[in-house]
Amino acid sequence: MISSLLLPLLMQSVTPYGSPIDPVLLPSKPKNEQPVEAAASVAKTATDIRFEQCLDQAADDPANGLLVANKWQIEGGGYLARNCLGFAYAGQEDWAKAVAEFVQAADGAQAAGDERAAIFWSQAGNAAFAGNDEQAALKYLATALEQDTLDGLLKGEVHLDMARVHVALNQYDEAKRQFALVHQLVPEDPLGWLLSATLARRMGDLAQAKTDIATAARLVTTDPAIALEAGNIAYEAGDLVNAKGSWQQAVKFGPDSPAAKAATRYLAQLEDSMAE
């Protein structure tokens, strides 16, 4: 399945029937990640353990996470405590405060030579994007890349986030360039192919859209969001038979998903239009 760790719809696409579809280009929730090589090769310190515990508490109960992180900050938790504060504020969708804490955490990590600085900058970019500050999001995501410490997977995710931001700014050509980098860095990421297919459809490049959505479907064969978009692309190409079949698959693959609910509406509207 495409990742469920996504926030409410920020950018809306147009469906075959002129109404917004549900699961298209979305900002990512700030992720709790560490550089893969560092995590594998360095033994965890007491500080690392406390950091992980703080993040877990912030994710499970943001209000309690704020108390835990603030206590740690007062005790000298430094930039790691601030990063945890950012997660707690993000959990409450207080994006302005989340951004401020993530930025301070990133600054502190960068000054300390901590490779997690790049991840903290990317988290600041995610939070800024969720708070509708696209320019700040681009700035922080670019700063994450400038650290030159991210591996292929994490670097690809930053480019994916940048693509989403450029779509929000209607900068489709730059978004397309970012998606090309995503496909190069993480060719097995179905979300990247789904979103680039959606962008290609928006840009009227149905041949590219069909190719990209086929790749996404090969990587994840039963995802309702992918089936929904396949139907949208088929409809746009005038292929009503495959549009109907793909939307029916979306309903079958995830009956309670937002994609299935959108597909159900389109199927009903399609039936009504064919009956006229």
Side-chain angles (χ1 to χ4, degrees):
M1 298 285 288
I2 294 298
S3 172
S4 62
L5 295 179
L6 298 171
L7 298 169
L9 185 63
L10 184 60
M11 291 169 286
Q12 295 181 328
S13 179
V14 176
T15 70
Y17 300 99
S19 58
I21 73 174
D22 294 313
V24 189
L25 302 177
L26 308 145
S28 301
K29 178 179 286 188
K31 307 171 191 71
N32 170 18
E33 295 170 320
Q34 298 183 36
V36 174
E37 292 181 2
S41 60
V42 179
K44 293 180 181 179
T45 66
T47 299
D48 292 330
I49 294 171
R50 184 169 185 178
F51 181 45
E52 291 180 0
Q53 291 174 339
C54 187
L55 292 177
D56 288 342
Q57 289 171 305
D60 292 340
D61 183 350
N64 181 60
L66 285 177
L67 296 175
V68 171
N70 273 311
K71 180 177 184 293
W72 190 19
Q73 177 64 26
I74 293 170
E75 294 172 355
Y79 62 84
L80 294 180
R82 289 202 174 279
N83 184 264
C84 187
L85 278 170
F87 263 93
Y89 283 126
Q92 296 181 330
E93 298 187 10
D94 189 338
W95 302 117
K97 290 182 179 179
V99 170
E101 296 298 341
F102 283 137
V103 168
Q104 290 191 67
D107 276 330
Q110 192 168 329
D114 189 328
E115 289 191 359
R116 287 172 290 191
I119 293 172
F120 296 168
W121 283 118
S122 73
Q123 292 164 347
N126 273 293
F129 183 29
N132 298 320
D133 190 346
E134 289 87 2
Q135 295 301 331
L138 286 178
K139 174 184 175 182
Y140 298 141
L141 292 169
T143 303
L145 293 173
E146 288 168 3
Q147 306 307 304
D148 199 26
T149 57
L150 297 175
D151 65 10
L153 175 61
L154 297 182
K155 188 175 182 180
E157 289 185 351
V158 173
H159 283 292
L160 184 62
D161 290 333
M162 292 186 78
R164 292 191 182 102
V165 179
H166 284 296
V167 170
L169 293 170
N170 295 317
Q171 297 171 348
Y172 287 1
D173 288 336
E174 179 57 28
K176 184 176 179 180
R177 191 182 76 82
Q178 293 294 327
F179 277 126
L181 293 171
V182 173
H183 300 330
Q184 178 182 347
L185 291 163
V186 280
E188 300 300 308
D189 179 9
L191 180 59
W193 292 106
L194 167 62
L195 298 187
S196 65
T198 302
L199 177 62
R201 173 172 61 81
R202 289 185 179 190
M203 296 178 74
D205 188 349
L206 296 182
Q208 188 64 57
K210 289 179 181 179
T211 297
D212 288 358
I213 202 64
T215 302
R218 175 179 59 81
L219 293 168
V220 184
T221 58
T222 59
D223 188 87
I226 292 174
L228 173 68
E229 182 56 30
N232 293 344
I233 293 167
Y235 183 93
E236 192 75 13
D239 185 351
L240 300 187
V241 172
N242 279 319
K244 181 178 180 179
S246 293
W247 290 335
Q248 288 173 333
Q249 284 186 322
V251 176
K252 176 183 176 182
F253 294 157
D256 297 323
S257 68
K261 293 175 183 177
T264 299
R265 293 197 302 272
Y266 305 160
L267 286 167
Q269 291 168 326
L270 180 61
E271 291 294 335
D272 289 344
S273 67
M274 295 178 69
E276 293 175 355

